Amino acid sequence: MKLFDAHFHIIDYEFPVFENQGYLPPSYNVVDYQRDTACFEIAGGAIVSGSFQGFDQDYLVKSLKLLGPTFCGVTQLPFTVSDEEIEKLHMDGVRALRFNVKRGGSEDLSKLDYLARRVYDLAGWHSELYIDAKELPSIASTIETLPAISIDHLGLSAEGLPHLLRLVDRGVRVKATGFGRVELNVEKALKEIYQANPKALMFGTDLPSTRAKRPFETADIEIIQGLFNVKEAEEILYKNAYNWYFMR
């Protein structure tokens, strides 16, 4: 089945990589990613900037050129970024802004309302949050008013799932990624999110699965194929994410 990998990382030590919470990731370049996904029908995807990359854009631009036009970037930007910089990144293939609440390395969450609206109005980007969903109630009123938001890794926790589902019902999308790093019943979360909004779930490998308790496995795709019929699985594994990144 054709896949759109909505969440993976490239770690290229030709460019700045910063220690985060005492952690430095291993190198993982485009060739490594292509090797690890060669057995899948990867038809596109989204390279996501990590906490250890801060506001560096050069690694992302290089990786997008190597992977081609069916791939896009999710970047971290400072509050001070200019309109011209955003427009240039859009031309380079970036399509979303990330706030890394869990690990840091991105702009502060207090800037979410301003920056999320700004990149959407200027370039049509959505904003992505790496956050434990149990923390969502404190910012739910803001998220509900923003034009386009997604949440990483199924919201991470069972405690946060009810809060996540309330936002999914209001149009927030969810990355079906990082099954080896979450603290919840993956099958239950997938079914409940799909029931709340069939367009919400977007598959990603989360490669190279930095700091996860276990890395991505082919079995993660098989979980989705086992829970949903062929049409539904196609939406989760390809169509939902492709439309979210490229058709809005």
Side-chain angles (χ1 to χ4, degrees), residues 33 220 224:
Y33 174 75
D220 294 339
I224 294 170

Side-chain angles (χ1 to χ4, degrees), residues 88-130:
K88 172 64 166 59
L89 287 169
H90 186 79
M91 292 293 294
D92 289 329
V94 176
R95 291 295 180 269
L97 173 68
R98 193 185 200 208
F99 287 83
N100 193 328
V101 183
K102 177 74 172 176
R103 300 290 186 188
S106 66
E107 185 54 87
D108 187 85
L109 195 57
S110 64
K111 305 297 194 300
L112 171 63
D113 186 77
Y114 168 79
L115 269 182
R117 292 181 189 279
R118 187 172 166 215
V119 299
Y120 183 86
D121 291 342
L122 189 62
W125 296 1
H126 68 272
S127 293
E128 306 190 356
L129 302 181
Y130 182 18

Side-chain angles (χ1 to χ4, degrees), residues 36-48:
D36 288 348
T37 58
C39 60
F40 306 120
E41 189 182 350
I42 302 290
I47 307 170
V48 178

Side-chain angles (χ1 to χ4, degrees), residues 101-209:
V101 183
K102 177 74 172 176
R103 300 290 186 188
S106 66
E107 185 54 87
D108 187 85
L109 195 57
S110 64
K111 305 297 194 300
L112 171 63
D113 186 77
Y114 168 79
L115 269 182
R117 292 181 189 279
R118 187 172 166 215
V119 299
Y120 183 86
D121 291 342
L122 189 62
W125 296 1
H126 68 272
S127 293
E128 306 190 356
L129 302 181
Y130 182 18
I131 186 171
D132 190 319
K134 67 185 179 185
E135 299 177 33
L136 287 172
S138 64
I139 57 170
S141 60
T142 297
I143 291 176
E144 288 172 4
T145 66
L146 292 175
I149 296 289
S150 70
I151 306 292
D152 291 347
H153 306 319
L154 299 176
L156 292 175
S157 71
E159 182 182 347
L161 184 58
H163 306 303
L164 180 65
L165 290 171
R166 291 188 193 98
L167 292 173
V168 169
D169 192 52
R170 290 163 172 78
V172 169
R173 307 302 177 96
V174 179
K175 299 281 190 80
T177 59
F179 296 173
R181 67 172 74 246
V182 302
E183 299 289 344
L184 49 71
N185 182 304
V186 170
E187 290 87 347
K188 178 179 183 291
L190 290 170
K191 288 189 290 187
E192 292 187 4
I193 293 167
Y194 187 89
Q195 185 176 14
N197 180 359
K199 296 184 183 300
L201 286 169
M202 303 182 293
F203 161 79
T205 62
D206 190 35
L207 286 167
S209 306

